[in-house]
Amino acid sequence: MRAKNSVKNISMGIFTQVVIALLGFLSRKVFLDSLGAQYLGINSLLDNVLSLLALVESGIGTGIVYSLYKPLAENDRPKISALVNLYKKAYKVIAFIVFILSFILYPFLGNLMKDSGHVPYLTAAYFIFVAKNMTYYLNAHKVSLINADQKGYVLDRLNVIFQVLITITKIIVLILTKNYILYLIIELIIFILQNIVNGKIVNKRYPYLKEKLSYNLRKEEKESLIKNVKALFLHNIGAYAVMGTDNLVISAFVGVTTVGLYSNYSMIIGQLAVLVSPFLSGIGSSVGNLIVKENSENTYKVFKVSYLINFWIYSVCVIFLYNLLEPFIDWWLGKRYLLDSLTFVVLLINFYIAGLRISIFTFKIKGGIFVEDKYMPLIEATINLVASIILVKTIGLAGVFFGTTISTILTVFWNNPRLVFKKIFKLPVWLYFKKYLFYAILTLISGYFTTEICVYISSLNVESSLMLLILKGLICIIIPSIIYAAIFYRSEEFKYIKSLFKIVIFGIRDKTRKNDDKIKNLG
């Protein structure tokens, strides 16, 4: 059942993200042509500022998912209902706090925008972002429940329709009116509708949520929950300070227009990360259930599979980005939207380091390891902010991201694996770093050979630049994959991955046979 749910989550997630990514690139192109890089920078900055307010919620969502694994596995409906209702009340309080903080933060908004000039209706734009932020809290508790139950693909099917609707509508509005405020209002209206529909779907799937089931959380359950939420709050503050303050630092020290240029890179890197995330999150959604039901030996076996998939995906992705990201931006938007080479390389290093941590981070979160390192993210955030501000003044834009590299390596890079191997796998952590080094070397070697082939292809004077991009993209996927398949094809992890593909293939065949039988019966 875990494998089938993983495959469903992976399949639906990939389809969803492909559609959204393609529309996202089209939308970004229209946005830049209609409003320019300055508005793009402001849009990205407002998104970051409102993410700061979302820290009020920090820990609640993850706490919900973790605490629901066991009662869902045991079908303990009274406890499930009690937990979800508790979180519903918590989110109402959070929504009120976010609303108040939004007014407190607004007067300081101008200090974060260097060289922004006069932006019409900035106040209206800010509070539309606030409204969208608060809308999320309407059904956050319900979305967390369905995700904890490994049924997230149910909402993904509908979300892709809403995302397509939002994106197409915004494109039409920009082309016809070039009005930024109307652009935001349309997005808000459809987002509200999406949340209402999602809530109704969850209510229908879990009708007992409306029933008054008798269950009172025990004192130790409440204490454990509160302790985990407090720890997660610190984790999320640290995570925001590391990843979410980049745009704030760039806007304050370099300029708001540069935020817009960087957002194109972050969009492409982010879209690629989201596109491949179903391969890992599809497995990750079953990890909580796995840890509850299986012993440490079996859990470690699944981790090794996840780790190999994690490496394979992000190794191919970083090679892909190195060879195609800047040529794609040149083809898509033009050379004036390119950043300097040093910044580009540091961005890729951070992408690879963050990407290769996904497996270990998934097992850490799903295993409920929150409290043991609750202060580590704050240490990481402090190092990151200090290093970024010092380095941005000395080496420019690249310094902002190099600060992230330094803070990550000095803190969570080594501490997360240490905790997971100690608490969950009961094994020495050097096993993780030994494989990490091996994977990093493989990435460099396969990246070198792939890049050489791409350079040769570029010298052939292919007439169509789009065709050249597609050809290089295929090379960046195929060559590393052939190398890795040759190296790992005898490993137990690779055999397990092949079995997952068989589930997908035979699942499709089974559905085809059933449809054929229905047609025959109709005949």
Side-chain angles (χ1 to χ4, degrees), residues 240-310:
Y240 176 83
V242 172
M243 306 305 298
T245 57
D246 286 345
N247 282 346
L248 302 181
V249 174
I250 295 169
S251 180
F253 288 91
V254 182
V256 71
T257 301
T258 306
V259 175
L261 299 182
Y262 162 61
S263 71
N264 293 322
Y265 282 71
S266 62
M267 175 193 174
I268 296 171
I269 293 173
Q271 289 282 16
L272 183 59
V274 171
L275 181 62
V276 300
S277 67
F279 289 99
L280 293 168
S281 61
I283 294 174
S285 62
S286 302
V287 169
N289 179 273
L290 171 75
I291 293 173
V292 169
K293 291 188 172 183
E294 302 289 350
N295 57 39
S296 58
E297 183 180 350
N298 289 336
T299 303
Y300 181 59
K301 287 180 181 178
V302 175
F303 168 75
K304 288 194 293 184
V305 173
S306 176
Y307 197 19
L308 177 58
I309 296 173
N310 194 171

Side-chain angles (χ1 to χ4, degrees), residues 337-509:
Y337 289 101
L338 295 178
L339 298 175
D340 62 276
S341 299
L342 179 59
T343 299
F344 175 51
V345 171
V346 177
L347 283 173
L348 292 186
I349 291 172
N350 288 346
F351 169 77
Y352 185 75
I353 292 174
L356 218 57
R357 286 169 44 207
I358 290 176
S359 289
I360 202 72
F361 182 75
T362 299
F363 276 78
K364 177 180 179 296
I365 294 298
K366 305 297 184 181
I369 302 175
F370 308 130
V371 178
E372 290 83 351
D373 63 338
K374 61 183 179 182
Y375 296 116
M376 186 61 75
L378 297 181
I379 297 171
E380 180 188 13
T382 302
I383 296 172
N384 174 72
L385 196 58
V386 172
S388 293
I389 291 174
I390 293 172
L391 291 171
V392 74
K393 293 179 179 180
T394 55
I395 62 175
L397 181 61
V400 177
F401 308 110
F402 193 54
T404 303
T405 312
I406 294 170
S407 63
T408 300
I409 292 174
L410 292 179
T411 54
V412 294
F413 175 77
W414 60 269
N415 194 52
N416 283 356
R418 179 186 68 84
L419 289 171
V420 172
F421 272 72
K422 179 182 178 181
K423 298 283 185 179
I424 298 178
F425 304 143
K426 320 293 184 187
L427 293 170
V429 73
W430 63 262
L431 292 171
Y432 172 84
F433 288 111
K434 178 183 176 183
K435 188 154 287 188
Y436 191 102
L437 180 61
F438 177 58
Y439 286 161
I441 292 171
L442 278 182
T443 300
L444 290 172
I445 293 172
S446 59
Y448 172 77
F449 284 111
T450 304
T451 301
E452 287 297 308
I453 295 172
C454 286
V455 170
Y456 173 74
I457 293 295
S458 298
S459 67
L460 296 179
N461 295 322
V462 179
E463 292 185 6
S464 171
S465 56
L466 178 59
M467 184 60 65
L468 179 62
L469 285 172
I470 294 172
L471 185 59
K472 289 169 70 175
L474 291 173
I475 289 169
C476 289
I477 294 171
I478 294 171
I479 298 301
S481 295
I482 291 174
I483 294 172
Y484 301 152
I487 293 172
F488 295 109
Y489 80 101
R490 288 185 177 180
S491 68
E492 291 298 321
E493 296 91 334
F494 191 78
K495 291 176 182 177
Y496 184 88
I497 295 169
K498 287 196 295 183
S499 70
L500 285 179
F501 277 109
K502 287 180 181 178
I503 291 173
V504 175
I505 293 170
F506 286 118
I508 293 171
R509 287 179 180 175

Side-chain angles (χ1 to χ4, degrees), residues 75-347:
N75 197 29
D76 188 348
R77 293 189 175 187
K79 187 173 182 179
I80 294 169
S81 184
L83 286 168
V84 172
N85 285 325
L86 174 65
Y87 297 129
K88 181 180 180 180
K89 294 176 183 177
Y91 275 119
K92 286 182 179 179
V93 175
I94 289 167
F96 177 74
I97 294 172
V98 167
F99 183 71
I100 298 300
L101 289 178
S102 300
F103 282 93
I104 296 173
L105 185 61
Y106 174 72
F108 303 98
L109 195 61
N111 297 329
L112 298 174
M113 297 184 181
K114 182 181 179 181
D115 302 329
S116 62
H118 174 67
V119 181
Y121 307 112
L122 181 61
T123 301
Y126 175 77
F127 284 104
I128 291 172
F129 269 85
V130 171
K132 184 182 176 184
N133 210 28
M134 292 179 63
T135 299
Y136 162 77
Y137 300 123
L138 292 173
N139 292 299
H141 58 292
K142 296 177 183 178
V143 174
S144 295
L145 170 61
I146 200 169
N147 285 335
D149 199 23
Q150 305 175 51
K151 301 294 190 300
Y153 57 85
V154 174
L155 295 185
D156 286 341
R157 294 167 182 169
L158 186 65
N159 288 342
V160 69
I161 296 174
F162 275 104
Q163 287 299 315
V164 169
L165 178 62
I166 288 173
T167 306
I168 291 177
T169 307
K170 290 194 301 183
I171 289 172
I172 293 171
V173 167
L174 285 175
I175 292 174
L176 295 179
T177 69
K178 292 181 172 55
N179 189 308
Y180 180 54
I181 300 301
L182 185 58
Y183 167 92
L184 294 179
I185 291 173
I186 292 294
E187 183 178 30
L188 174 62
I189 292 171
I190 300 177
F191 185 71
I192 291 172
L193 179 61
Q194 178 183 356
N195 274 267
I196 293 172
V197 174
N198 282 347
K200 289 183 177 180
I201 289 173
V202 176
N203 285 339
K204 186 176 180 180
R205 183 169 282 266
Y206 306 96
Y208 57 85
L209 292 178
K210 294 183 178 180
E211 299 174 8
K212 293 184 178 180
L213 302 175
S214 178
Y215 185 92
N216 293 318
L217 293 175
R218 297 191 304 272
K219 181 180 179 181
E220 57 270 24
E221 288 178 325
K222 289 183 179 179
E223 289 177 350
S224 175
L225 183 59
I226 292 171
K227 185 171 67 172
N228 285 337
V229 168
K230 286 180 179 178
L232 284 164
F233 178 72
L234 296 176
H235 278 285
N236 288 340
I237 285 179
Y240 176 83
V242 172
M243 306 305 298
T245 57
D246 286 345
N247 282 346
L248 302 181
V249 174
I250 295 169
S251 180
F253 288 91
V254 182
V256 71
T257 301
T258 306
V259 175
L261 299 182
Y262 162 61
S263 71
N264 293 322
Y265 282 71
S266 62
M267 175 193 174
I268 296 171
I269 293 173
Q271 289 282 16
L272 183 59
V274 171
L275 181 62
V276 300
S277 67
F279 289 99
L280 293 168
S281 61
I283 294 174
S285 62
S286 302
V287 169
N289 179 273
L290 171 75
I291 293 173
V292 169
K293 291 188 172 183
E294 302 289 350
N295 57 39
S296 58
E297 183 180 350
N298 289 336
T299 303
Y300 181 59
K301 287 180 181 178
V302 175
F303 168 75
K304 288 194 293 184
V305 173
S306 176
Y307 197 19
L308 177 58
I309 296 173
N310 194 171
F311 150 72
W312 198 313
I313 289 172
Y314 273 86
S315 179
V316 170
C317 283
V318 78
I319 293 169
F320 184 92
L321 288 171
Y322 181 77
N323 286 284
L324 274 88
L325 193 152
E326 293 202 315
F328 176 76
I329 291 178
D330 183 17
W331 171 81
W332 175 39
L333 301 172
K335 289 186 183 296
R336 67 185 183 279
Y337 289 101
L338 295 178
L339 298 175
D340 62 276
S341 299
L342 179 59
T343 299
F344 175 51
V345 171
V346 177
L347 283 173

